[in-house]
Amino acid sequence: MSHLSADHPKVAAPRIGVLIANLGTPDATDYWSMRRYLSEFLSDKRVIDLPRWKWQPILQGIILSKRPFTSGANYKTIWNNEANESPLMTITKEQVAALRDRAATLWGDRVMVDFCMRYGNPSTASAVDRMVKAGCDKILFLPLYPQYAGATSATANDQFFRALMQQTWQPAARTVAPYFDRADYIDALAGSVERALGGRVPKKLVASYHGMPKRYLMQGDPYHCHCQKTSRLLRERLGWDKGVIDTTFQSVFGREEWLKPYTVEHVAELARQGITEIAVISPAFSSDCIETLEEIQGEIREAFEHAGGKEFTYIPCLNADAAHIDVLTTIIGENLTGWI
């Protein structure tokens, strides 16, 4: 930039940004940290689509007076006390560190890899701002959701676009499509199942996905279909008979009907039917989090055992497993075509 005049604002050398987005996490387990996080999460119109005038008094006056205490207690059971952060934050950092290493090997310092959270910190806006200041005139945005849903992929993209609106010099942008049916992603899932089960076929493998109101499906959200296809492709890749894998949905909130069957009810019913040995996997989560470490291994496991279940095996998320990093690196490379 030697041709610039002395009083011209500093211009960084051009780079390409790869921004990884995860759901989010509270900064701590105390009441106010939990309240800030839950307020941001539950105020998202993509998550709760009730009219603001109707929903906000209920949220701010009733739900957030009690829920931060119970949610904080749940987080305390899984909190990474050594790093003073949630497991989701720890795992996301590990994933990004691995992707930075891969990017450095493939593309040198031309590509900058960073991460953000849809809710909580680091915010999407702060991450975009960091990238722009570092010279990124192109940004690839990758939400860590294999299956598309309005309440996950779309709201992450929304926040990314809002962050771009704040930039004076707006970078070119791309978003990554859902990857629920990619062969390499299915291979990575299958590998995790085979390692966890030692090659044996369980009586039942319950594929538990995060839930959503059934109404969203009827409005055109493809999430339910993506989940069903992931489960089918996983079963076919493992070479198992039909009926071994059941697709269920967890984390129900509110009174309206959500996608069924509900995981907590389904595992109890399996136990009552005499199926006392099951395994559970969570293909919708790229990183272990409160929904897997506390809900599945706590509430859902307890429901199964209380109904007579004997052996409950939880298969961890792909996290920073090398096969998962391979998949994400390939996806990134494909989406950088024409940019690098």
Side-chain angles (χ1 to χ4, degrees):
M1 301 294 180
S2 58
H3 59 282
L4 298 178
S5 61
D7 62 347
H8 193 284
K10 184 178 179 181
V11 178
R15 301 177 74 187
I16 296 170
V18 175
L19 185 54
I20 309 298
N22 215 330
L23 177 71
T25 169
D27 295 324
T29 60
D30 63 277
Y31 172 83
W32 289 109
S33 295
M34 291 303 311
R35 181 171 179 125
R36 282 192 299 272
Y37 173 71
L38 291 172
S39 180
E40 183 180 10
F41 176 42
L42 297 176
S43 294
D44 186 349
K45 289 283 287 185
R46 291 275 195 180
V47 176
I48 306 291
D49 65 352
L50 294 174
R52 182 176 177 83
W53 65 265
K54 184 177 183 179
W55 173 240
Q56 282 300 315
I58 298 172
L59 175 62
Q60 301 298 331
I62 300 174
I63 295 173
L64 294 181
S65 65
K66 297 179 180 180
R67 193 176 178 101
F69 291 112
T70 56
S71 294
N74 290 338
Y75 267 98
K76 284 180 182 177
T77 66
I78 64 166
W79 201 251
N80 181 346
N81 292 310
E82 183 177 348
N84 192 27
E85 62 190 20
S86 74
L88 176 69
M89 178 66 77
T90 302
I91 294 166
T92 303
K93 288 178 178 178
E94 292 171 352
Q95 292 169 324
V96 171
L99 289 171
R100 281 175 178 153
D101 288 344
R102 298 290 183 89
T105 299
L106 290 169
W107 305 300
D109 61 1
R110 296 172 63 193
V111 173
M112 172 183 178
V113 180
D114 205 344
F115 77 100
C116 64
M117 298 293 182
R118 170 59 183 90
Y119 314 105
N121 296 306
S123 69
T124 307
S126 68
V128 168
D129 195 55
R130 258 194 321 276
M131 286 189 156
V132 171
K133 288 177 179 175
C136 295
D137 58 2
K138 301 178 181 68
I139 298 178
L140 175 67
F141 187 68
L142 171 53
L144 285 179
Y145 305 113
Q147 300 82 18
Y148 175 94
T152 55
S153 313
T155 189
N157 288 337
D158 290 345
Q159 199 72 346
F160 175 54
F161 299 142
R162 291 188 193 102
L164 292 177
M165 290 170 64
Q166 299 175 22
Q167 294 300 320
T168 301
W169 187 352
Q170 192 178 70
R174 291 176 178 173
T175 60
V176 172
Y179 51 97
F180 64 98
D181 57 352
R182 287 180 61 102
D184 51 2
Y185 164 67
I186 299 298
D187 283 344
L189 280 180
S192 72
V193 172
E194 290 167 339
R195 288 192 300 274
L197 300 180
R200 63 186 173 86
V201 180
K203 293 288 185 180
K204 280 287 184 182
L205 173 63
V206 177
S208 180
Y209 298 82
H210 67 77
M212 70 160 51
K214 182 180 178 181
R215 175 168 48 87
Y216 292 10
L217 166 64
M218 306 314 292
Q219 292 170 350
D221 194 302
Y223 175 68
H224 180 265
C225 302
H226 287 187
C227 296
Q228 295 288 354
K229 188 170 184 180
T230 295
S231 295
R232 175 176 63 80
L233 293 174
L234 175 60
R235 179 186 60 77
E236 292 173 354
R237 164 61 178 76
L238 289 166
W240 294 353
D241 294 334
K242 290 182 179 180
V244 177
I245 298 181
D246 291 347
T247 297
T248 64
F249 301 90
Q250 64 182 89
S251 307
V252 175
F253 179 80
R255 296 182 178 180
E256 71 176 299
E257 182 180 359
W258 282 43
L259 297 178
K260 290 183 176 180
Y262 301 148
T263 304
V264 67
E265 295 177 357
H266 187 72
V267 298
E269 181 59 27
L270 289 176
R272 286 191 288 268
Q273 293 173 3
I275 300 175
T276 59
E277 174 194 347
I278 66 170
V280 179
I281 190 171
S282 301
F285 299 100
S286 294
S287 317
D288 274 304
C289 54
I290 190 74
E291 287 86 353
T292 64
L293 299 175
E294 193 280 327
E295 185 178 0
I296 289 180
Q297 299 204 69
E299 176 189 359
I300 291 169
R301 178 193 292 269
E302 289 169 6
F304 176 69
E305 293 175 346
H306 182 73
K310 303 298 182 185
E311 186 172 341
F312 183 102
T313 301
Y314 172 64
I315 301 171
C317 296
L318 293 177
N319 296 326
D321 183 81
H324 190 206
I325 301 303
D326 286 343
V327 173
L328 296 176
T329 301
T330 301
I331 290 172
I332 290 168
E334 290 172 357
N335 281 272
L336 291 181
T337 301
W339 278 5
I340 197 167

